[in-house]
PDB file of all heavy atoms in Angstrom:
ATOM      1  N   THR A 994      18.879 -37.792 -51.651  1.00 97.00           N
ATOM      2  CA  THR A 994      17.530 -38.115 -52.129  1.00 97.00           C
ATOM      3  C   THR A 994      16.691 -38.856 -51.099  1.00 97.00           C
ATOM      4  O   THR A 994      15.459 -38.754 -51.116  1.00 97.00           O
ATOM      5  CB  THR A 994      17.597 -38.989 -53.400  1.00 97.00           C
ATOM      6  OG1 THR A 994      18.325 -40.195 -53.107  1.00 97.00           O
ATOM      7  CG2 THR A 994      18.293 -38.235 -54.524  1.00 97.00           C
ATOM      8  N   HIS A 995      17.331 -39.609 -50.195  1.00 98.00           N
ATOM      9  CA  HIS A 995      16.601 -40.449 -49.239  1.00 98.00           C
ATOM     10  C   HIS A 995      17.102 -40.207 -47.806  1.00 98.00           C
ATOM     11  O   HIS A 995      17.605 -41.124 -47.146  1.00 98.00           O
ATOM     12  CB  HIS A 995      16.746 -41.926 -49.591  1.00 98.00           C
ATOM     13  CG  HIS A 995      16.019 -42.332 -50.836  1.00 98.00           C
ATOM     14  ND1 HIS A 995      16.389 -41.900 -52.096  1.00 98.00           N
ATOM     15  CD2 HIS A 995      14.936 -43.151 -51.013  1.00 98.00           C
ATOM     16  CE1 HIS A 995      15.572 -42.427 -52.996  1.00 98.00           C
ATOM     17  NE2 HIS A 995      14.679 -43.184 -52.367  1.00 98.00           N
ATOM     18  N   PRO A 996      16.981 -38.982 -47.312  1.00 98.00           N
ATOM     19  CA  PRO A 996      17.434 -38.726 -45.939  1.00 98.00           C
ATOM     20  C   PRO A 996      16.492 -39.350 -44.914  1.00 98.00           C
ATOM     21  O   PRO A 996      15.319 -39.631 -45.231  1.00 98.00           O
ATOM     22  CB  PRO A 996      17.369 -37.197 -45.852  1.00 98.00           C
ATOM     23  CG  PRO A 996      16.249 -36.834 -46.783  1.00 98.00           C
ATOM     24  CD  PRO A 996      16.354 -37.805 -47.926  1.00 98.00           C
ATOM     25  N   PRO A 997      16.957 -39.585 -43.701  1.00 98.00           N
ATOM     26  CA  PRO A 997      16.043 -40.010 -42.645  1.00 98.00           C
ATOM     27  C   PRO A 997      14.923 -38.989 -42.464  1.00 98.00           C
ATOM     28  O   PRO A 997      15.122 -37.784 -42.644  1.00 98.00           O
ATOM     29  CB  PRO A 997      16.945 -40.076 -41.405  1.00 98.00           C
ATOM     30  CG  PRO A 997      18.320 -40.333 -41.955  1.00 98.00           C
ATOM     31  CD  PRO A 997      18.368 -39.565 -43.247  1.00 98.00           C
ATOM     32  N   GLN A 998      13.753 -39.472 -42.145  1.00 98.00           N
ATOM     33  CA  GLN A 998      12.605 -38.583 -41.974  1.00 98.00           C
ATOM     34  C   GLN A 998      12.782 -37.704 -40.739  1.00 98.00           C
ATOM     35  O   GLN A 998      12.978 -38.215 -39.631  1.00 98.00           O
ATOM     36  CB  GLN A 998      11.317 -39.388 -41.834  1.00 98.00           C
ATOM     37  CG  GLN A 998      10.073 -38.525 -41.678  1.00 98.00           C
ATOM     38  CD  GLN A 998       8.818 -39.340 -41.410  1.00 98.00           C
ATOM     39  OE1 GLN A 998       8.889 -40.550 -41.202  1.00 98.00           O
ATOM     40  NE2 GLN A 998       7.669 -38.683 -41.393  1.00 98.00           N
ATOM     41  N   PRO A 999      12.666 -36.382 -40.874  1.00 98.00           N
ATOM     42  CA  PRO A 999      12.762 -35.484 -39.710  1.00 98.00           C
ATOM     43  C   PRO A 999      11.404 -35.405 -38.991  1.00 98.00           C
ATOM     44  O   PRO A 999      10.689 -34.409 -39.069  1.00 98.00           O
ATOM     45  CB  PRO A 999      13.160 -34.158 -40.338  1.00 98.00           C
ATOM     46  CG  PRO A 999      12.543 -34.178 -41.692  1.00 98.00           C
ATOM     47  CD  PRO A 999      12.568 -35.626 -42.131  1.00 98.00           C
ATOM     48  N   MET A1000      11.064 -36.460 -38.282  1.00 98.00           N
ATOM     49  CA  MET A1000       9.724 -36.576 -37.709  1.00 98.00           C
ATOM     50  C   MET A1000       9.400 -35.449 -36.742  1.00 98.00           C
ATOM     51  O   MET A1000       8.297 -34.882 -36.771  1.00 98.00           O
ATOM     52  CB  MET A1000       9.584 -37.931 -37.007  1.00 98.00           C
ATOM     53  CG  MET A1000       9.812 -39.125 -37.922  1.00 98.00           C
ATOM     54  SD  MET A1000       9.629 -40.692 -37.031  1.00 98.00           S
ATOM     55  CE  MET A1000      10.114 -41.865 -38.305  1.00 98.00           C
ATOM     56  N   LEU A1001      10.351 -35.104 -35.880  1.00 98.00           N
ATOM     57  CA  LEU A1001      10.097 -34.066 -34.881  1.00 98.00           C
ATOM     58  C   LEU A1001       9.956 -32.707 -35.545  1.00 98.00           C
ATOM     59  O   LEU A1001       9.068 -31.920 -35.194  1.00 98.00           O
ATOM     60  CB  LEU A1001      11.216 -34.043 -33.838  1.00 98.00           C
ATOM     61  CG  LEU A1001      11.471 -35.370 -33.104  1.00 98.00           C
ATOM     62  CD1 LEU A1001      12.574 -35.191 -32.069  1.00 98.00           C
ATOM     63  CD2 LEU A1001      10.199 -35.881 -32.445  1.00 98.00           C
ATOM     64  N   ALA A1002      10.828 -32.429 -36.501  1.00 98.00           N
ATOM     65  CA  ALA A1002      10.757 -31.151 -37.208  1.00 98.00           C
ATOM     66  C   ALA A1002       9.436 -31.015 -37.958  1.00 98.00           C
ATOM     67  O   ALA A1002       8.866 -29.908 -38.044  1.00 98.00           O
ATOM     68  CB  ALA A1002      11.938 -31.016 -38.165  1.00 98.00           C
ATOM     69  N   GLN A1003       8.929 -32.104 -38.491  1.00 98.00           N
ATOM     70  CA  GLN A1003       7.666 -32.063 -39.227  1.00 98.00           C
ATOM     71  C   GLN A1003       6.492 -31.761 -38.296  1.00 98.00           C
ATOM     72  O   GLN A1003       5.631 -30.925 -38.612  1.00 98.00           O
ATOM     73  CB  GLN A1003       7.450 -33.384 -39.962  1.00 98.00           C
ATOM     74  CG  GLN A1003       8.412 -33.575 -41.131  1.00 98.00           C
ATOM     75  CD  GLN A1003       8.285 -34.952 -41.780  1.00 98.00           C
ATOM     76  OE1 GLN A1003       7.607 -35.836 -41.281  1.00 98.00           O
ATOM     77  NE2 GLN A1003       8.962 -35.129 -42.910  1.00 98.00           N
ATOM     78  N   THR A1004       6.450 -32.434 -37.154  1.00 98.00           N
ATOM     79  CA  THR A1004       5.386 -32.155 -36.190  1.00 98.00           C
ATOM     80  C   THR A1004       5.465 -30.709 -35.719  1.00 98.00           C
ATOM     81  O   THR A1004       4.445 -30.003 -35.644  1.00 98.00           O
ATOM     82  CB  THR A1004       5.486 -33.108 -34.988  1.00 98.00           C
ATOM     83  OG1 THR A1004       5.300 -34.452 -35.436  1.00 98.00           O
ATOM     84  CG2 THR A1004       4.442 -32.787 -33.930  1.00 98.00           C
ATOM     85  N   ARG A1005       6.665 -30.247 -35.439  1.00 98.00           N
ATOM     86  CA  ARG A1005       6.846 -28.869 -34.964  1.00 98.00           C
ATOM     87  C   ARG A1005       6.399 -27.859 -36.012  1.00 98.00           C
ATOM     88  O   ARG A1005       5.786 -26.827 -35.688  1.00 98.00           O
ATOM     89  CB  ARG A1005       8.315 -28.660 -34.579  1.00 98.00           C
ATOM     90  CG  ARG A1005       8.575 -27.452 -33.704  1.00 98.00           C
ATOM     91  CD  ARG A1005       9.997 -27.474 -33.175  1.00 98.00           C
ATOM     92  NE  ARG A1005      10.217 -28.567 -32.240  1.00 98.00           N
ATOM     93  CZ  ARG A1005      11.104 -29.567 -32.439  1.00 98.00           C
ATOM     94  NH1 ARG A1005      11.827 -29.607 -33.546  1.00 98.00           N
ATOM     95  NH2 ARG A1005      11.235 -30.505 -31.536  1.00 98.00           N
ATOM     96  N   ALA A1006       6.674 -28.133 -37.277  1.00 98.00           N
ATOM     97  CA  ALA A1006       6.290 -27.204 -38.344  1.00 98.00           C
ATOM     98  C   ALA A1006       4.769 -27.095 -38.448  1.00 98.00           C
ATOM     99  O   ALA A1006       4.221 -25.992 -38.591  1.00 98.00           O
ATOM    100  CB  ALA A1006       6.884 -27.662 -39.673  1.00 98.00           C
ATOM    101  N   VAL A1007       4.060 -28.230 -38.387  1.00 98.00           N
ATOM    102  CA  VAL A1007       2.602 -28.209 -38.477  1.00 98.00           C
ATOM    103  C   VAL A1007       1.991 -27.492 -37.279  1.00 98.00           C
ATOM    104  O   VAL A1007       1.059 -26.681 -37.425  1.00 98.00           O
ATOM    105  CB  VAL A1007       2.064 -29.645 -38.607  1.00 98.00           C
ATOM    106  CG1 VAL A1007       0.558 -29.688 -38.391  1.00 98.00           C
ATOM    107  CG2 VAL A1007       2.413 -30.226 -39.977  1.00 98.00           C
ATOM    108  N   LEU A1008       2.515 -27.761 -36.078  1.00 98.00           N
ATOM    109  CA  LEU A1008       1.966 -27.123 -34.884  1.00 98.00           C
ATOM    110  C   LEU A1008       2.315 -25.636 -34.833  1.00 98.00           C
ATOM    111  O   LEU A1008       1.527 -24.830 -34.318  1.00 98.00           O
ATOM    112  CB  LEU A1008       2.468 -27.837 -33.631  1.00 98.00           C
ATOM    113  CG  LEU A1008       2.011 -29.293 -33.472  1.00 98.00           C
ATOM    114  CD1 LEU A1008       2.530 -29.883 -32.164  1.00 98.00           C
ATOM    115  CD2 LEU A1008       0.489 -29.413 -33.543  1.00 98.00           C
ATOM    116  N   THR A1009       3.459 -25.263 -35.370  1.00 98.00           N
ATOM    117  CA  THR A1009       3.819 -23.842 -35.430  1.00 98.00           C
ATOM    118  C   THR A1009       2.849 -23.084 -36.326  1.00 98.00           C
ATOM    119  O   THR A1009       2.393 -21.977 -35.986  1.00 98.00           O
ATOM    120  CB  THR A1009       5.261 -23.677 -35.929  1.00 98.00           C
ATOM    121  OG1 THR A1009       6.161 -24.276 -34.981  1.00 98.00           O
ATOM    122  CG2 THR A1009       5.623 -22.206 -36.093  1.00 98.00           C
ATOM    123  N   ARG A1010       2.507 -23.643 -37.480  1.00 98.00           N
ATOM    124  CA  ARG A1010       1.527 -22.998 -38.353  1.00 98.00           C
ATOM    125  C   ARG A1010       0.171 -22.886 -37.665  1.00 98.00           C
ATOM    126  O   ARG A1010      -0.550 -21.891 -37.826  1.00 98.00           O
ATOM    127  CB  ARG A1010       1.393 -23.778 -39.672  1.00 98.00           C
ATOM    128  CG  ARG A1010       2.563 -23.556 -40.621  1.00 98.00           C
ATOM    129  CD  ARG A1010       2.226 -24.037 -42.033  1.00 98.00           C
ATOM    130  NE  ARG A1010       2.085 -25.476 -42.120  1.00 98.00           N
ATOM    131  CZ  ARG A1010       3.091 -26.318 -42.317  1.00 98.00           C
ATOM    132  NH1 ARG A1010       4.332 -25.865 -42.434  1.00 98.00           N
ATOM    133  NH2 ARG A1010       2.868 -27.620 -42.408  1.00 98.00           N
ATOM    134  N   TYR A1011      -0.176 -23.917 -36.893  1.00 98.00           N
ATOM    135  CA  TYR A1011      -1.422 -23.902 -36.121  1.00 98.00           C
ATOM    136  C   TYR A1011      -1.428 -22.724 -35.143  1.00 98.00           C
ATOM    137  O   TYR A1011      -2.428 -22.001 -35.020  1.00 98.00           O
ATOM    138  CB  TYR A1011      -1.538 -25.231 -35.383  1.00 98.00           C
ATOM    139  CG  TYR A1011      -2.772 -25.439 -34.547  1.00 98.00           C
ATOM    140  CD1 TYR A1011      -3.958 -25.874 -35.120  1.00 98.00           C
ATOM    141  CD2 TYR A1011      -2.741 -25.254 -33.169  1.00 98.00           C
ATOM    142  CE1 TYR A1011      -5.089 -26.110 -34.353  1.00 98.00           C
ATOM    143  CE2 TYR A1011      -3.866 -25.478 -32.384  1.00 98.00           C
ATOM    144  CZ  TYR A1011      -5.034 -25.905 -32.975  1.00 98.00           C
ATOM    145  OH  TYR A1011      -6.143 -26.135 -32.206  1.00 98.00           O
ATOM    146  N   ALA A1012      -0.308 -22.528 -34.459  1.00 98.00           N
ATOM    147  CA  ALA A1012      -0.210 -21.428 -33.505  1.00 98.00           C
ATOM    148  C   ALA A1012      -0.219 -20.076 -34.206  1.00 98.00           C
ATOM    149  O   ALA A1012      -0.849 -19.120 -33.741  1.00 98.00           O
ATOM    150  CB  ALA A1012       1.047 -21.584 -32.654  1.00 98.00           C
ATOM    151  N   GLU A1013       0.458 -19.973 -35.316  1.00 98.00           N
ATOM    152  CA  GLU A1013       0.503 -18.710 -36.056  1.00 98.00           C
ATOM    153  C   GLU A1013      -0.867 -18.319 -36.593  1.00 98.00           C
ATOM    154  O   GLU A1013      -1.134 -17.135 -36.834  1.00 98.00           O
ATOM    155  CB  GLU A1013       1.508 -18.817 -37.195  1.00 98.00           C
ATOM    156  CG  GLU A1013       2.953 -18.892 -36.731  1.00 98.00           C
ATOM    157  CD  GLU A1013       3.933 -19.184 -37.858  1.00 98.00           C
ATOM    158  OE1 GLU A1013       3.491 -19.569 -38.956  1.00 98.00           O
ATOM    159  OE2 GLU A1013       5.151 -19.041 -37.629  1.00 98.00           O
ATOM    160  N   ALA A1014      -1.731 -19.314 -36.783  1.00 98.00           N
ATOM    161  CA  ALA A1014      -3.072 -19.055 -37.297  1.00 98.00           C
ATOM    162  C   ALA A1014      -4.090 -18.810 -36.180  1.00 98.00           C
ATOM    163  O   ALA A1014      -5.291 -18.733 -36.451  1.00 98.00           O
ATOM    164  CB  ALA A1014      -3.531 -20.211 -38.173  1.00 98.00           C
ATOM    165  N   GLY A1015      -3.616 -18.708 -34.947  1.00 98.00           N
ATOM    166  CA  GLY A1015      -4.508 -18.367 -33.846  1.00 98.00           C
ATOM    167  C   GLY A1015      -4.695 -19.437 -32.791  1.00 98.00           C
ATOM    168  O   GLY A1015      -5.342 -19.192 -31.773  1.00 98.00           O
ATOM    169  N   GLY A1016      -4.143 -20.634 -33.017  1.00 98.00           N
ATOM    170  CA  GLY A1016      -4.205 -21.670 -32.003  1.00 98.00           C
ATOM    171  C   GLY A1016      -3.064 -21.532 -31.008  1.00 98.00           C
ATOM    172  O   GLY A1016      -2.277 -20.576 -31.059  1.00 98.00           O
ATOM    173  N   THR A1017      -2.953 -22.470 -30.105  1.00 98.00           N
ATOM    174  CA  THR A1017      -1.835 -22.500 -29.163  1.00 98.00           C
ATOM    175  C   THR A1017      -1.313 -23.925 -29.059  1.00 98.00           C
ATOM    176  O   THR A1017      -2.081 -24.886 -29.161  1.00 98.00           O
ATOM    177  CB  THR A1017      -2.237 -22.029 -27.751  1.00 98.00           C
ATOM    178  OG1 THR A1017      -3.230 -22.917 -27.212  1.00 98.00           O
ATOM    179  CG2 THR A1017      -2.788 -20.607 -27.783  1.00 98.00           C
TER     180      THR A1017
END
Side-chain angles (χ1 to χ4, degrees):
T994 58
H995 290 68
Q998 181 185 8
M1000 301 180 186
L1001 304 182
Q1003 290 174 351
T1004 297
R1005 197 170 293 118
V1007 167
L1008 296 182
T1009 296
R1010 284 195 292 274
Y1011 181 83
E1013 291 172 347
T1017 62

